[in-house]
Amino acid sequence: MIVKNDYNLVQLQAKVQSQLSQYRFQHCLRTADKAVELAELNQGDVLKARVAGLVHDYAKERSDAEFISVIKQEHFDPDLLNYGNAIWHGVIGAYFIKHELGIYDEEILNAVRNHTTAAPQMTLLDKIVFMADYIEDGRDFMNVDEARQVTLADLDDGVRYQLTHTLELLLNKKTKIYPKTITSYNAWVAGH
Ligand SMILES: [Fe+2]
Ligand SMILES: [Fe+2]
């Protein structure tokens, strides 16, 4: 099937590949495939799902110095400096994607911004990318099959599942938790 769109997917894929290790590029391809599957299942925009899934980790292998200089020069919230790549590659990653890949669609950019922390209010595309990243076919963590089952049955339940398990993991590791992750957890899970 020929899809009419504004994105040259072949070119986009090559650009993403040029910035990533083979291992992470393959993860991006699998995330894009899973995002398409979730979009089809939930009546979402299949093309935006593919593009957002493909580019979501575009900036993941940038140096800390590069992120720090963008945070400072572009006047992002200085509190971001207290965190690291795990948070930066989403929030600041969207900046690189916009300026280097020429993707200006705010829906796609927001899905990238929210893909590690989720958000109290999420669009369908946000949820699709958040979950596709978590359950793509190469993932192999304990309970991944359960996570897949829950997500395929109900996307919102999947979001709750991931937020709960990620927060547990962060608490166990005694990692500093980015406030938005907690806000997301409170909105989606606490009290439900
Ligand atoms: Fe990521
Ligand atoms: Fe990812």
Side-chain angles (χ1 to χ4, degrees):
M1 189 179 74
I2 295 167
V3 183
K4 196 167 177 287
N5 61 75
D6 295 319
Y7 302 103
N8 181 334
L9 282 173
V10 175
Q11 206 175 70
L12 197 57
Q13 215 166 286
K15 284 186 184 169
V16 173
Q17 187 169 23
S18 76
Q19 293 295 316
L20 296 175
S21 59
Q22 189 59 13
Y23 157 82
R24 184 155 285 110
F25 176 60
Q26 294 300 326
H27 160 66
C28 287
L29 292 180
R30 289 191 301 265
T31 301
D33 284 343
K34 189 57 71 179
V36 166
E37 188 184 326
L38 291 176
E40 283 170 347
L41 207 57
N42 293 279
Q43 290 80 47
D45 186 318
V46 169
L47 178 60
K48 286 192 188 193
R50 179 165 298 288
V51 172
L54 176 65
V55 303
H56 82 285
D57 275 346
Y58 173 72
K60 179 98 177 180
E61 295 177 7
R62 297 298 170 101
S63 69
D64 287 357
E66 241 182 303
F67 282 116
I68 289 166
S69 92
V70 170
I71 291 168
K72 289 180 176 168
Q73 278 168 26
E74 301 300 321
H75 308 292
F76 279 93
D77 180 356
D79 184 44
L80 280 165
L81 295 170
N82 296 315
Y83 298 86
N85 179 286
I87 296 301
W88 296 340
H89 83 277
V91 185
I92 316 299
Y95 172 90
F96 289 108
I97 289 164
K98 189 174 185 175
H99 291 91
E100 295 177 13
L101 300 179
I103 294 175
Y104 297 99
D105 185 320
E106 278 298 317
E107 223 187 319
I108 293 176
L109 295 174
N110 274 330
V112 173
R113 289 182 185 114
N114 291 330
H115 89 267
T116 44
T117 60
Q121 306 268 348
M122 295 170 85
T123 64
L124 178 56
L125 189 66
D126 289 344
K127 295 180 214 172
I128 285 170
V129 176
F130 183 63
M131 292 317 304
D133 182 26
Y134 193 59
I135 63 163
E136 56 92 345
D137 289 349
R139 292 291 195 195
D140 187 25
F141 54 88
M142 211 173 60
N143 301 328
V144 69
D145 288 333
E146 188 184 25
R148 287 184 179 125
Q149 270 175 24
V150 168
T151 307
L152 294 178
D154 187 301
L155 192 60
D156 285 8
D157 284 345
V159 172
R160 282 187 262 279
Y161 187 96
Q162 182 179 171
L163 277 169
T164 304
H165 287 258
T166 300
L167 206 64
E168 275 173 9
L169 204 82
L170 294 171
L171 289 170
N172 284 333
K173 285 200 297 186
K174 294 192 163 56
T175 310
K176 194 192 291 182
I177 300 174
Y178 191 57
K180 192 171 170 188
T181 304
I182 297 169
T183 312
S184 301
Y185 174 84
N186 284 343
W188 281 89
V189 184
H192 280 268

